[in-house]
């Protein structure tokens, strides 16, 4: 099933979050039991060449590839799709105009203005023909607009109404900074949780998919109950640190050095 089909079926999809611009590292990430892999160009180290090359091992693992582009780089949204990405997350979509520009880059006419040229993407989908690619792409590839600011919150309903915007993705850390007036960064800030839930509810009511970044795994269930279905987590650094902690803890316990 495609990412779009899984979310349409109201499944919870958990994506790893890759910031290391190396296809071998991404291959290792794709081999883990995540449902998808996200390549981060905004705060991670991924760039155009690493995205082009890193999509291959993820597709080989038969998993969806999501790319988060840098702020305002809607041209890279089209590039990511041409490389074979299944979805694109655009940060700091704060207005209807931002949403329209993003959707235009993501969708072929008549919905958007995406230029034809899936030089790498089409062959990576095997037997897909050019005509099938044209007919399927607007449905199969998903445009996630990030909601991270009070400005975006105020414009949310209008953003959701933009043709070609398939989903929202809430960035809880940036949202907490905006919510607190720059006083704190706290992805689980209790004071904003009612609003975080309302964002998901409004998106789902508009027929859009919902995603969120999960820093604290213990709160994931709460996000799912709110209506979020794409859960992003597990950067390379986090996974290495957690794996090392578990491995060393088990060894030290075995040799009598455990705490």
């Amino acid at each position: 099933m495609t990412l779009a089909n899984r979310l349409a079926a109201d499944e919870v999809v958990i994506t790893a979050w890759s910031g290391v611009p190396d296809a071998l590292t991404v291959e290792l990430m794709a081999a883990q039991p995540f449902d998808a892999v996200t390549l981060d160009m905004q705060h991670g180290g991924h760039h155009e060449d690493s995205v082009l090359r890193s999509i291959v091992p993820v597709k080989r693992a038969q998993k969806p590839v999501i790319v988060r582009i840098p702020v305002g780089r809607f041209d890279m949204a089209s590039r990511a799709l041409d490389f074979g990405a299944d979805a694109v997350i655009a940060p700091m979509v704060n207005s209807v105009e931002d949403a329209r520009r993003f959707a235009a880059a993501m969708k072929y006419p008549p919905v958007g203005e995406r230029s034809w040229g899936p030089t790498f993407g089409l062959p990576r989908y095997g037997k897909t023909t050019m005509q099938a690619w044209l007919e399927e792409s607007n449905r199969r590839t998903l445009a996630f607009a990030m909601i991270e600011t009070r400005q975006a919150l105020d414009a949310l309903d209008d953003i959701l109404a933009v043709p070609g915007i398939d989903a929202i993705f809430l960035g809880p850390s940036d949202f907490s900074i905006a919510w607190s007036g720059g006083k704190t960064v706290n992805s689980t800030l209790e004071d904003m949780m009612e609003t975080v839930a309302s964002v998901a509810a409004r998106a789902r009511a508009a027929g859009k998919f919902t995603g969120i970044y999960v820093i604290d795994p213990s709160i994931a269930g709460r996000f799912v109950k709110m209506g979020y279905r794409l859960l992003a987590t597990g950067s390379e650094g986090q996974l290495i640190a957690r794996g090392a902690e578990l491995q060393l803890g088990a060894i030290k316990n075995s040799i009598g050095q455990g705490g």
Side-chain angles (χ1 to χ4, degrees):
M1 295 179 69
T2 65
L3 176 62
N5 287 342
R6 293 189 65 177
L7 292 175
D10 209 33
E11 292 185 27
V12 175
V13 177
I14 303 174
T15 178
W17 196 266
S18 171
V20 177
D22 178 78
L24 294 177
T25 303
V26 173
E27 182 178 2
L28 293 174
M29 295 282 278
Q32 308 314 309
F34 290 99
D35 300 310
V37 176
T38 299
L39 310 175
D40 185 15
M41 300 180 73
Q42 184 193 10
H43 296 305
H46 278 286
H47 45 79
E48 191 168 348
D49 185 66
S50 72
V51 169
L52 172 62
R53 298 177 188 279
S54 295
I55 285 175
V56 175
V58 184
K59 303 306 292 184
R60 188 179 297 129
Q62 299 184 335
K63 296 180 179 182
V65 183
I66 305 166
V67 176
R68 181 166 73 169
I69 58 176
V71 176
R73 284 294 309 275
F74 302 128
D75 61 310
M76 190 59 219
S78 294
R79 294 284 280 161
L81 297 182
D82 285 345
F83 294 165
D86 298 275
V88 175
I89 299 172
M92 293 292 174
V93 174
N94 293 325
S95 66
V96 171
E97 179 58 29
D98 289 342
R100 287 174 177 162
R101 290 177 60 211
F102 178 38
M106 287 289 294
K107 305 297 181 180
Y108 290 120
V111 179
E113 301 172 2
R114 180 182 169 192
S115 176
W116 179 261
T119 306
F120 292 95
L122 195 151
R124 289 173 177 178
Y125 274 81
K127 297 181 180 179
T128 299
T129 65
M130 288 191 292
Q131 185 63 31
W133 181 273
L134 177 62
E135 293 174 358
E136 298 167 0
S137 286
N138 282 359
R139 296 189 303 272
R140 178 178 51 78
T141 57
L142 302 180
F144 281 83
M146 285 197 76
I147 305 300
E148 307 175 84
T149 66
R150 286 187 178 271
Q151 184 181 357
L153 180 64
D154 291 342
L156 178 60
D157 292 334
D158 291 333
I159 290 171
L160 291 169
V162 172
I165 297 297
D166 304 294
I168 58 93
F169 188 94
L170 194 134
S173 294
D174 274 301
F175 198 78
S176 72
I177 295 172
W179 190 259
S180 67
K183 295 178 181 178
T184 188
V185 52
N186 179 356
S187 67
T188 60
L189 185 66
E190 188 59 39
D191 184 53
M192 70 180 187
M193 283 300 155
E194 183 177 347
T195 301
V196 170
S198 75
V199 170
R202 289 161 68 183
R204 289 172 68 90
K208 309 293 184 175
F209 303 129
T210 52
I212 194 167
Y213 197 95
V214 179
I215 294 176
D216 180 358
S218 68
I219 203 172
R222 187 174 179 185
F223 287 148
V224 170
K225 288 179 181 178
M226 291 177 182
Y228 291 96
R229 290 297 179 265
L230 177 68
L231 305 181
T233 192
S235 67
E236 293 94 341
Q238 291 172 329
L239 294 175
I240 290 171
R242 182 58 176 158
E245 179 185 0
L246 291 173
Q247 186 79 351
L248 290 172
I251 290 174
K252 289 179 179 180
N253 284 334
S254 179
I255 63 178
Q257 293 183 7

